[in-house]
Amino acid sequence: MSVGQSADSPFAHISRNSNNAAGSRNIQYVAQHQTIHNTSTAPSKFDHCNGHLFLTDSAIHRDKVILKNGQRTTGTCNWITRSAKYRAWTGGPPSLLWIWGGPGKGKTMLSIFLTQTLLQAEDTTLLFYFCSAEYETRKGAAAVLRSRLWQLLIHDRELAEVMSPYFIPADHAKDVLQSPQTLFNMFVLVIAGTRHARITRLVDALDECDHESQSWLADKFRDLNTAFGTSRLWLIIISRKITEFGTVPQINLDAHAREVSSDVKSFIAIKVTELAKNLQLDLQQCQQIEATLLDRSGDTFLWAGFAVAELVRQKTLTQVMDTLQALPAGLDAVYARMLNNIDQRYSERAAHVLQWVCLAARPLTLQKLSLTFEDSGVARHSTIASVKDIVAICGSILLITNGLNFIDVQDHEASAVRDSADYWSQTVVMLVHESARSFLLTRSVGDDGISELLHFTAETGHASYRSPGATHYRPTL
């Protein structure tokens, strides 16, 4: 694939501001720029810059994030826009606001909520980006900056006049696209030349970038307005704790335990209401379930989501109550329970799949996972059907998606409808959450009775990545 190209079409829908109260708007790229902008810029310059800069469409990735995490529960996240620090940031001069907290605290939902809220603002142009450790194209400094520049270009075609010299000749363009510093310099220049008076840039999950990119970007974002004199850029960074941000204006989610707890409580209440309809639970039973879930959740959405998913699978009230009492407190305990539930007869193959999914440079299709069994010398397990079975045996720690929906591979009735080798070969397997990757890579051997086969680190996985035919994965770790 050539520089600037991606499997996602550059003519995919993008988000822009709208005066319509319905909120976020996704419109066709061509329609937007043929009907909104009256520009004298030569189309060839715009097309040239667009072709080089486009890597991924943030609007499409946000849709995928919503697909994976689910829709925001009504009423949650609203507190953030009422907080004093947020109001000071949005009502003050251009500056950086850093929102941070531990895993499962609802950071991604806050990002989704804020993009939807800011897209309704009439006085700002919103640029947003969702970083992801699962994709090479979404976890490097160059990728983050390319996205920022591409979105600015999409909002203002005339910026092609400023950008185009960077991409001539072609060899120079390739060097530019691989140089975060050059891309950053271009961004500072472009901000100075844009017609937009106020630009808001939101970056979600900066901590999922590779370590070098994370540190470098944090330094640049922290000093952007003061060091480079940009007078029209408001930044929001949402992440886990990043030391480089130091004492910048920030909202620590752990310090807002009351608000986060209230949101988790609302989330649990909605889910228990849905459960009550299926099992005809009475008010007292619902209150007992809600209280137990909230007590053990540690005020984390992620734990509550895992717990509710376990309860939904049960068929009777007795099963629900027994499962509820057996649920461990804390995310690590939940992940350990998931591993303990793996049938030991298949532990070696499960460990193989978990290792590859955890350490792969990008999400793997079932077809590519099947090839890893051929490389390991166990070709009899290399069929797509066999690998699909192992993914199912791994349970809730893995997800499988066709790009539009997440698939329950244990749903035999639905699987029969999808009984097609071509269909399954292109489905993608991924970890349920980035915290699951951290758990698998940092836990101690023997914790909670887990077999050593189901424990690995980046170091123990190194050999797998150097196996023959593995060129589509990271060559080193």
Side-chain angles (χ1 to χ4, degrees):
M1 186 173 295
S2 62
V3 173
Q5 293 181 327
S6 169
D8 295 329
S9 167
F11 297 98
H13 62 280
I14 67 167
S15 298
R16 70 172 184 89
N17 297 321
S18 173
N19 294 331
N20 190 315
S24 172
R25 293 291 175 265
N26 288 324
I27 64 174
Q28 292 294 326
Y29 161 87
V30 173
Q32 177 183 355
H33 294 289
Q34 288 182 345
T35 61
I36 293 177
H37 294 299
N38 180 15
T39 176
S40 59
T41 301
S44 59
K45 287 187 177 181
F46 170 81
D47 293 340
H48 187 63
C49 294
N50 179 58
H52 281 296
L53 286 173
F54 179 78
L55 187 63
T56 58
D57 188 325
S58 293
I60 291 175
H61 286 306
R62 186 183 62 172
D63 291 343
K64 291 179 179 179
V65 170
I66 293 173
L67 171 65
K68 183 176 181 180
N69 291 273
Q71 294 288 343
R72 178 178 65 92
T73 300
T74 302
T76 60
C77 301
N78 291 319
W79 67 269
I80 195 78
T81 55
R82 297 192 295 266
S83 67
K85 289 185 177 179
Y86 181 88
R87 286 187 285 109
W89 169 80
T90 192
S95 62
L96 165 66
L97 177 65
W98 176 36
I99 302 173
W100 64 278
K105 291 295 184 180
K107 296 186 296 297
T108 298
M109 280 302 170
L110 280 174
S111 293
I112 292 168
F113 169 74
L114 287 173
T115 59
Q116 293 168 341
T117 299
L118 290 165
L119 280 165
Q120 297 180 57
E122 299 179 7
D123 62 344
T124 190
T125 298
L126 177 65
L127 317 174
F128 61 88
Y129 192 78
F130 287 76
C131 303
S132 174
E134 293 178 331
Y135 297 86
E136 284 289 344
T137 55
R138 290 170 59 193
K139 65 178 181 181
V144 174
L145 292 166
R146 282 177 65 174
S147 171
R148 177 181 290 189
L149 287 162
W150 180 74
Q151 289 179 71
L152 277 170
L153 177 67
I154 292 303
H155 281 290
D156 185 356
R157 291 171 64 106
E158 293 181 1
L159 291 174
E161 292 285 357
V162 180
M163 296 180 180
S164 59
Y166 283 90
F167 304 118
I168 301 171
D171 287 345
H172 183 251
K174 184 176 181 179
D175 291 338
V176 167
L177 295 173
Q178 294 175 349
S179 169
Q181 185 60 57
T182 305
L183 291 168
F184 181 79
N185 294 342
M186 189 195 311
F187 176 73
V188 172
L189 185 64
V190 166
I191 286 291
T194 182
R195 59 187 173 80
H196 296 284
R198 180 178 179 127
I199 297 170
T200 301
R201 171 67 169 168
L202 183 148
V203 179
D204 176 69
L206 183 63
D207 56 286
E208 292 195 26
C209 286
D210 62 77
H211 182 72
E212 182 178 356
S213 292
Q214 176 190 137
S215 179
W216 187 86
L217 285 169
D219 285 338
K220 293 297 184 184
F221 291 156
R222 183 192 62 223
D223 301 330
L224 184 60
N225 286 332
T226 55
F228 299 95
T230 55
S231 59
R232 61 187 75 188
L233 183 65
W234 282 254
L235 278 167
I236 304 182
I237 308 296
I238 302 178
S239 68
R240 297 191 194 182
K241 188 171 185 178
I242 297 176
T243 56
E244 284 82 0
F245 282 133
T247 59
V248 301
Q250 57 192 263
I251 297 176
N252 178 358
L253 298 180
D254 294 331
H256 287 265
R258 181 170 59 85
E259 292 88 347
V260 174
S261 180
S262 178
D263 280 358
V264 173
K265 185 176 182 179
S266 296
F267 171 77
I268 289 173
I270 292 293
K271 296 303 180 182
V272 172
T273 298
E274 295 171 358
L275 183 67
K277 292 178 181 178
N278 294 332
L279 295 177
Q280 298 181 332
L281 305 179
D282 61 32
L283 178 61
Q284 183 178 0
Q285 291 164 340
C286 289
Q287 290 175 338
Q288 181 183 354
I289 293 171
E290 286 183 30
T292 303
L293 289 174
L294 187 62
D295 179 62
R296 297 188 187 179
S297 70
D299 292 336
T300 60
F301 287 94
L302 189 58
W303 187 97
F306 288 151
V308 168
E310 284 285 318
L311 298 183
V312 167
R313 294 190 185 98
Q314 310 312 311
K315 305 298 184 183
T316 67
L317 174 60
T318 299
Q319 289 175 312
V320 167
M321 300 310 291
D322 288 346
T323 301
L324 183 65
Q325 295 305 316
L327 289 172
L331 281 178
D332 281 359
V334 169
Y335 289 136
R337 186 172 185 266
M338 290 177 181
L339 295 186
N340 271 323
N341 287 338
I342 294 175
D343 190 325
Q344 291 299 302
R345 292 176 297 175
Y346 307 101
S347 60
E348 186 173 353
R349 278 174 276 171
H352 178 94
V353 168
L354 286 169
Q355 179 170 306
W356 276 90
V357 172
C358 183
L359 298 176
R362 62 186 63 84
L364 303 176
T365 63
L366 280 173
Q367 182 181 39
K368 288 180 179 178
L369 270 174
S370 69
L371 296 177
T372 68
F373 279 96
E374 290 182 0
D375 291 340
S376 66
V378 283
R380 67 183 183 280
H381 301 313
S382 66
T383 66
I384 291 174
S386 295
V387 176
K388 178 165 67 73
D389 288 345
I390 296 301
V391 170
I393 288 168
C394 286
S396 301
I397 201 166
L398 293 180
L399 297 175
I400 186 167
T401 177
N402 60 6
L404 299 174
N405 298 289
F406 285 94
I407 304 164
D408 183 357
V409 293
Q410 301 183 66
D411 183 345
H412 299 296
E413 182 177 346
S415 293
V417 176
R418 300 185 295 257
D419 190 16
S420 162
D422 289 339
Y423 177 91
W424 287 108
S425 66
Q426 297 308 310
T427 53
V428 171
V429 181
M430 60 181 65
L431 289 166
V432 67
H433 191 263
E434 186 59 24
S435 59
R437 191 188 320 274
S438 299
F439 170 78
L440 290 170
L441 292 175
T442 60
R443 61 186 307 280
S444 300
V445 177
D447 283 358
D448 305 304
I450 301 295
S451 166
E452 186 173 348
L453 285 172
L454 292 175
H455 171 79
F456 54 87
T457 65
E459 286 71 29
T460 61
H462 183 84
S464 295
Y465 281 81
R466 300 186 67 84
S467 60
T471 54
H472 48 288
Y473 307 121
R474 290 180 188 154
T476 58
L477 295 173

